[in-house]
Amino acid sequence: MALVKAETVEGFQRLPALRQLGLMIGLAASVALGVAVVLWSQKPSYTVLYGNLSSKDAGEVIEALQKSGIKFEVDQSNGAVMVPGSELHNARMQLAKEGLPEGNAMGFEMLQKEQGFGTSQFIETARFQRALEGELSRTIATLRNVDSARVHLAIPKRSVFLRDRAEPTASVMVDLYSGRSLDDEQIAAIVHLVSSSVPHLAPENVTVVDQRGNLLSSGETNNGLGRTSGQFSYKSKLELNYSDRIRELLEPIVGAGRVRATVNADLDFTVTERTQETYNPDLPALRSEQVSEDRSTNAAGPSGVPGALSNQPPEAGVLRDPNGARAAADGTASAVPRNSSKRSVRNYELDKTISHTKLATGNIRRLSIAVVIDNKQELTDAGELVSKPWADDELTRFTTLVKEAVGFEIQRGDSVNVINSSFVPLPEPEAVPEPSLMEQPWIWDVAKQAVGAIGLLIVVFGVLKPVMRSLAEKGAQSMRSAALVPAAAGAADTGAGSGEDQLSLSGANPRQAQLQAPGMGYEQQLSTARGVVKEDPKRVAQVVKNWVAEDG
């Protein structure tokens, strides 16, 4: 190992300065590339958590992720918040638990902001209406099928000096999740929610529209369709309830999934109100009584029907004895006639009953029930499963059970029909295909690590190892060429010119020792060198190559 290092260092030192600098830069770049590949392979793949967030929502989401200890990144191009793919669902559940992101809709917290000194009443009213719209939007967005919602309120200014007042109206736009819809009951719930939150807002003045432009609630309640829809919903629920009763009663006997029951209910939705007033003559009660009595005495004057006979002048006065008048008053016979009358008025109060009855709607007129039962399954002596039809007495028992379950009444014309038939076996449900290997969330992390390992091996064995081998070979060659030392021949030798060269070789070869002998002439050195070339031509060729490389 020490020899390889020495050879590598020797080879590196013998390179020109420019090549040494380029080699150092290449090695540094290779090492940096290998480190970058390793770090990239260890970095998890990030997935977009939420995009198109406002600055306020993005800050709250980032703060919540920091508290939860979930790694995240922010895309500098669009500001999307990204988390590792393995932490995506966990991050969304954590944020949903904290109610994030809230969205751009602001509620009554808008009223908590400080207002300017000169804020007018119009601005305050507009801010309150905007806050009310935001609260309604938040409430509607909490529904399961609604992703987001917007509410627009048109509330006219009310005044006591106007005879014809404009009623407030509202428009609701709901953004539904893909593949979901709102049924009539949910639409009615949204309508009544908005109408109940705004004073003097009638439900028929609320319009609901979805993101596709479909009108979900037109606000027309006078056409009777709303009542018809409610009646149909009640009828469907009643029939489904009866069907469930029959199925729950028979499935434990015949087996799960071997009973099909359908109920058709004829309902009476007529609304009837009745008012009745009755009296009981057996219980009279005296309420008031008035008695009047009149008496009159006829004098010796005209009497009778007015006319010529009765209009006679009075007779001459007759002096009567006072004692006689007193005697008449005491009960003696008197010839003066008398008239008397007596009247009595009695008011009786009789026992009176007033009843107002509103008959229930949705009464059952008739029930039509159809039940189909699959054949029973029995095991033979050989252990095979055989399908056999039910006996007639067993079907009769099933019919009795069905009648008792639905409250069968023959007076109103109910009918029950229970038959036995062999069911066609349902096709086996196709197994849900498992996600392919490329769709697994961990495959990308493994692929990145594999690519990183391959890149690191390429850098090590494709770049670093060849360079180190080349340097080691250059060092070895320099050490082997140490036997051939170029020397300049001196001009002091007699018989030699001033430009002659002298070669000296070190080694155990006798001819190489002769090259190092002092006082050897040029011709002798040349002949000795030729002998060395003949004996070891490879070494001489290597020495010449090294000379050329050094001179270049």
Side-chain angles (χ1 to χ4, degrees), residues 139-296:
T139 305
I140 297 174
T142 57
L143 296 178
R144 180 173 300 176
N145 296 337
V146 179
D147 184 16
S148 61
R150 294 195 65 183
V151 179
H152 303 279
L153 299 178
I155 304 178
K157 185 177 180 181
R158 302 184 65 85
S159 175
V160 295
F161 302 102
L162 297 178
R163 178 177 298 176
D164 298 332
R165 299 177 180 177
E167 297 296 333
T169 57
S171 301
V172 181
M173 200 284 289
V174 292
D175 186 5
L176 305 178
Y177 287 107
S178 178
R180 299 186 183 181
S181 61
L182 296 176
D183 54 19
D184 296 337
E185 294 182 356
Q186 291 174 331
I187 297 173
I190 294 175
V191 170
H192 286 82
L193 172 66
V194 176
S195 63
S196 301
S197 302
V198 181
H200 309 288
L201 178 59
E204 56 268 17
N205 293 333
V206 179
T207 304
V208 182
V209 184
D210 63 0
Q211 75 272 21
R212 301 180 183 86
N214 299 325
L215 184 61
L216 304 180
S217 174
S218 61
E220 298 179 359
T221 58
N222 296 328
N223 53 10
L225 295 180
R227 178 173 297 179
T228 303
S229 177
Q231 293 173 358
F232 178 77
S233 177
Y234 173 76
K235 181 176 182 293
S236 301
K237 290 181 179 179
L238 182 63
E239 293 174 350
L240 181 61
N241 186 19
Y242 281 140
S243 300
D244 293 340
R245 288 185 186 180
I246 297 172
R247 188 167 53 254
E248 292 176 359
L249 185 63
L250 297 181
E251 278 187 349
I253 303 175
V254 301
R258 299 184 178 276
V259 178
R260 297 292 185 270
T262 302
V263 178
N264 182 19
D266 184 11
L267 304 180
D268 183 11
F269 291 102
T270 304
V271 179
T272 304
E273 296 184 5
R274 180 185 302 167
T275 302
Q276 185 177 5
E277 184 175 357
T278 58
Y279 296 91
N280 188 3
D282 299 333
L283 297 175
L286 182 61
R287 180 177 181 183
S288 62
E289 182 179 5
Q290 182 179 2
V291 179
S292 176
E293 184 177 358
D294 296 334
R295 291 182 181 182
S296 62

Side-chain angles (χ1 to χ4, degrees), residues 318-348:
V318 179
L319 182 60
R320 295 185 180 186
D321 187 4
N323 296 327
R326 187 178 299 109
D330 293 339
T332 57
S334 175
V336 181
R338 295 181 178 180
N339 293 327
S340 63
S341 64
K342 186 176 182 180
R343 291 174 297 174
S344 177
V345 178
R346 293 182 177 88
N347 294 325
Y348 292 92

Side-chain angles (χ1 to χ4, degrees), residues 35-57:
V35 173
V37 169
V38 172
L39 294 179
W40 173 79
S41 63
Q42 296 298 327
K43 182 180 179 181
S45 58
Y46 283 82
T47 306
V48 177
L49 177 62
Y50 289 112
N52 300 326
L53 293 177
S54 61
S55 300
K56 178 176 178 295
D57 288 341

Side-chain angles (χ1 to χ4, degrees), residues 494-516:
T494 59
S498 60
E500 294 179 353
D501 293 335
Q502 183 178 1
L503 298 175
S504 63
L505 283 77
S506 60
N509 196 335
R511 293 185 179 274
Q512 295 178 0
Q514 293 178 4
L515 290 175
Q516 298 176 355

Side-chain angles (χ1 to χ4, degrees), residues 16 82 93-94 119 134 181 183 202 277-278 280 298 331 396 422 449 491:
M82 299 184 297
M93 287 189 292
Q94 291 291 337
T119 304
S181 61
D183 54 19
E277 184 175 357
T278 58
N280 188 3
N298 293 330
T396 304
S422 178
Q449 294 179 2

